Every structure is written in C-alpha cells, then in structure tokens.
C-alpha cells in the first residue's frame, strides 16, 4: 500500500534525509526542492526514488555534502561555475541569476557547470529562466551508460537536454526535457524493480545482444533513441557539457565513479536568449499561433502538458510513495 503524503511533507522528508547524512543546509534545501518539483510534476524516476542515491554518494565520500559552488564571471556573456564536487541543484541555483542578468543585458548568455553531481530532471533548471522571459536550453552528461549507434561499449551518458520557451498571458512556459537514451535509466531501474520488460531498442545485454530484460540492460549498455540521430545528440551533449565546461566526459565520469549507486561527477551547460531583442514584442503572439495550430492537429499536444496537469493535481491531492521506498526514506531521515 503506497504512502500518501503532501508536497510539504515530501520536501521535509527529503531535507531531513539529506541533513541526517551530513548535507549542508543550503545543499539539502536545493536538492529537496528539486526532488519535490519532480514529484509534483509526476516524475517518479527523479523524485524521492533518487534520495537514497544522493545519500549513498555522501556516505561513499564521492560527493562533498558541504560544497560551496564557485561562480566565475568569465566574460560579459559567460558564467563558469565549479560545483566543487557538490550536488548540481545548489550550483545551478547560485549561478542562474547571473546567467539571466547577462542574457537580459547582452541578449544571450551561456553558463557552464563542472564538478557537479547531477541526479535530477532538467526542466526545473530552465523553467525559471523562461518565467523570466528567456528562451533557454540546458544539457547534462553523466557517467557513461550508453553505446554510440553501432557500438556495444558504454561511451556516452544518457545525456538529457531540455528546452524552454516563455509564453505570454501568464501561461506556464513550454518546456521539453528528454534523455538521448531510448529510455531514461531511472525508468529502466523502476522496470527492473517492478518486474516489467522494456521495449526492444532500449539496450543491449553484457553479451552485446539486444534484450528487453531491464536487469540485463543495467548490466550491459543502453542505446540512444532514433539510432544515429540520437547518438549525434548525445555526442553534442558531451561536447556542450564536459567539453565546454572543462569537466568530465561520460567515460571520464565513469572512471571517477565510486559504484555507490549515487550520481556521478558530470557537467552541465545553459544557453539563455532574450527573444524580444531579436523578434521584438510580437514573439509571444507569434509562438502562440504555432502552439494553437499544433494543438488543433489531431491528437497532438505540447510537451510538458502532462507535467503541468500533474502539477495541478498534486498541489491538491499530494503524492504517493511506494511502501518500501517510504520505509527506507523514513530510516534515512532518522525517523525510525
Ligand atoms: P520522456 O520520454 O518521458 O519525455 C520527454 C519529453 O517529451 C517530455 O518533455 C514530455 O513531456 C514530452 N512528451 C512525451 N510524450 C509526448 C507527446 N505524446 N507529445 C508531446 N510531447 C511529449 O522523458 P525521458 O524518459 O527521455 O527523460 C525522463 C527524465 O529523465 C527527464 O526529466 C530527464 O532530464 C531525466 N534524465 C536525467 C539524467 C541525469 O543525468 N540527470 C539522465 C537522463 C535523463 P511530458 O513530461 O509533458 O510528458
């Protein structure tokens, strides 16, 4: 029987579990906020499910629970952040204001983050930029779990990217957020936990052969979505993250990883653009016209609409947490 809890309780549980593990107040708040946003938007694979992994990375000594990110004003349009082996949410929260200011001042700005332990979904990272009127991209790499198209050995992380577009009229921004892998690793882990198979094309077993067994894929390699096209996007994400930031590529991150079940030392980058400086004030009406046509087109929907519907629902109803996970989290929070 799953436990039913409010979002406030979710945030408190996450904060307490992290604090109990020795995570600093600022880091625990930032990670708890990220986890709660994932749960609020119905993203179970990046919500409370990830909390034991964050704690494991502290216990193994991989992540620094007291890390204070270093923010460098690298150029008029550039922010360079070194997370100093801390969790990504605090590094992002600390750097994002400077990124937005520079994008408003210059019309465009870029921020890189290296040495950051990222275990999260990406839309919460850029939704605030779009709420501030900016078009935004973000890219993240992780330790290598995925073979390039045609390969059988892990080289790339599952390498998600997200894109956000502001909307007028008080509407929530349109944000899509997707892995370069055919299936996000968290989803494969949940399928393995729940005894389900995964679709063909998700990955290869350690023998290099295609399989639909999630446990075999977790021991083998994942595959990119869409063959060589997804593989090129994963390659771009490596270059935009480990490359641009001077941090780790996926395979370097894997070599650094302590096999503790937690996040890896990866990298991230952001690009933020002020659309008004290019398209003028007509930008908002123009994009709405495109969205209206899309929505009038058969069963098409905007990316992010499922999340926003979940957000409206969980604000009223709260969330459910799988029973065994809830017991684990209570233990981590020192409540049993
Ligand atoms: P999904 O395939 O579930 O969704 C990808 C995007 O497509 C979402 O924006 C989703 O919107 C949208 N979408 C889904 N169905 C439709 C549809 N029918 N029409 C229009 N849009 C649609 O995500 P992934 O499995 O690829 O990734 C899951 C999460 O895992 C992401 O948040 C990602 O950031 C995270 N991740 C994190 C990693 C890390 O290292 N930190 C590594 C890899 C993944 P909607 O949400 O509204 O359905």
């Amino acid at each position: 029987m799953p436990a039913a809890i409010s979002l406030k309780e979710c945030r408190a549980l996450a904060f307490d579990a992290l604090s109990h593990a020795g995570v600093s107040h600022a880091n625990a708040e930032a990670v708890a906020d990220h986890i709660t946003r994932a749960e609020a938007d119905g993203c179970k694979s990046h919500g409370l499910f990830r909390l034991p992994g964050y704690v494991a990375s502290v216990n193994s000594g991989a992540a620094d629970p007291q890390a204070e990110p270093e923010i460098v004003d690298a150029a008029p349009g550039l922010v360079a952040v070194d997370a100093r082996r801390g969790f990504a949410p605090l590094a992002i929260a600390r750097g994002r204001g400077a990124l937005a200011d520079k994008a408003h001042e210059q019309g465009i700005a870029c921020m890189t983050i290296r040495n950051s332990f990222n275990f999260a979904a990406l839309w919460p990272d850029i939704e605030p930029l779009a709420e501030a009127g900016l078009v935004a991209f973000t890219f993240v790499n992780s330790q290598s779990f995925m073979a390039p198209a045609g390969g059988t050995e892990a080289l790339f992380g599952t390498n998600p990217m997200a894109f956000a577009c502001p909307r007028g009229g008080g509407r929530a921004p349109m944000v899509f957020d997707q892995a370069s892998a055919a299936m996000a690793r968290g989803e494969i882990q949940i399928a393995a936990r729940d005894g389900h198979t995964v679709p063909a094309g998700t990955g290869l077993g350690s023998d290099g052969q295609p399989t639909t067994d999630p446990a075999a894929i977790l021991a083998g390699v994942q595959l990119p979505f869409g063959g060589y096209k997804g593989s090129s996007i994963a390659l771009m994400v490596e270059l935009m993250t480990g490359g641009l930031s001077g941090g780790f590529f996926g395979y370097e991150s894997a070599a650094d990883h302590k096999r503790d079940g937690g996040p890896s030392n990866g990298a991230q980058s952001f690009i933020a653009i002020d659309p008004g400086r290019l398209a003028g004030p007509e930008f908002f009406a123009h994009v709405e016209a495109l969205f209206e046509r899309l929505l009038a087109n058969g069963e098409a929907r905007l990316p992010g609409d499922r999340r926003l519907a979940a957000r409206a629902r969980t604000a009223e109803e709260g969330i459910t947490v799988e029973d065994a996970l809830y017991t684990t989290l209570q233990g981590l929070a020192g409540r049993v």
Side-chain angles (χ1 to χ4, degrees):
M1 183 72 180
I5 63 172
S6 67
L7 291 173
K8 190 174 170 198
E9 171 59 8
C10 170
R11 193 180 300 267
L13 183 58
F15 180 84
D16 289 352
L18 292 159
S19 300
H20 199 66
V23 176
S24 71
H25 192 277
N27 275 288
E29 265 194 347
V31 173
D33 181 64
H34 224 290
I35 283 176
T36 306
R37 283 170 188 259
E39 290 285 350
D41 283 16
C43 180
K44 289 286 174 202
S45 59
H46 290 81
L48 290 168
F49 173 70
R50 294 286 178 177
L51 203 39
Y54 280 107
V55 171
S57 68
V58 172
N59 291 341
S60 72
D64 179 355
Q66 302 287 325
E68 279 292 317
E70 179 191 16
I71 316 291
V72 175
D73 186 343
L78 298 176
V79 185
V81 180
D82 187 333
R84 292 179 167 154
R85 297 190 74 91
F87 294 130
L90 184 64
I92 297 163
R94 290 276 174 86
R96 192 168 43 211
L99 171 69
D101 288 348
K102 285 174 180 288
H104 285 299
E105 283 159 20
Q106 307 286 128
I108 185 167
C110 175
M111 175 168 80
T112 57
I113 301 179
R114 65 180 173 192
N115 265 325
S116 103
F117 283 66
N118 193 321
F119 223 22
L122 302 193
W123 82 84
D125 300 345
I126 53 171
E127 193 176 46
L129 294 168
E131 285 167 350
L134 299 165
V135 170
F137 297 84
T138 188
F139 309 89
V140 165
N141 75 346
S142 66
Q143 64 172 310
S144 49
F145 288 126
M146 193 166 80
T152 56
E153 305 280 331
L155 177 66
F156 301 142
T158 49
N159 291 8
M161 63 168 286
F163 171 79
C165 180
R167 299 179 71 181
R171 297 177 190 87
M174 189 290 294
V175 188
F176 77 72
D177 173 13
Q178 59 191 38
S180 307
M183 185 179 264
R185 194 166 186 83
E187 300 289 351
I188 301 175
Q189 288 168 330
I190 287 176
R193 181 193 73 187
D194 297 346
H196 301 143
T197 57
V198 295
T202 302
L204 310 174
S206 40
D207 55 1
Q209 295 302 310
T211 175
T212 58
D213 175 358
I217 293 170
L218 291 172
V221 289
Q222 293 180 238
L223 289 174
F225 77 88
Y228 61 87
K229 295 185 183 181
S231 192
S232 297
I233 290 178
L235 174 60
M236 174 189 72
V237 172
E238 292 288 348
L239 297 170
M240 289 295 296
T241 55
L244 267 193
S245 73
F248 286 157
F249 288 130
Y251 68 90
E252 294 167 323
S253 182
D256 175 79
H257 198 252
K258 289 191 183 295
R259 307 288 179 261
D260 53 14
S264 53
N265 183 343
Q268 184 161 5
S269 65
F270 293 76
I271 300 169
I273 304 166
D274 182 348
R277 303 280 282 272
L278 293 165
E282 296 78 24
F283 173 81
F284 292 102
H286 198 193
V287 300
E288 282 316 307
L290 174 65
F291 292 160
E292 277 167 26
R293 282 187 179 235
L294 183 150
L295 293 171
N297 195 331
E299 297 297 310
R301 71 164 171 90
L302 286 177
D305 278 358
R306 180 203 55 81
R307 272 192 308 98
L308 294 173
R311 189 180 298 181
R313 192 173 59 248
T314 59
E316 296 288 324
E317 298 172 6
I319 59 167
T320 57
V321 187
E322 196 243 340
D323 193 36
L325 176 62
Y326 191 59
T327 304
T328 302
L329 299 181
Q330 296 273 60
L332 290 177
R335 296 182 183 175
V336 286

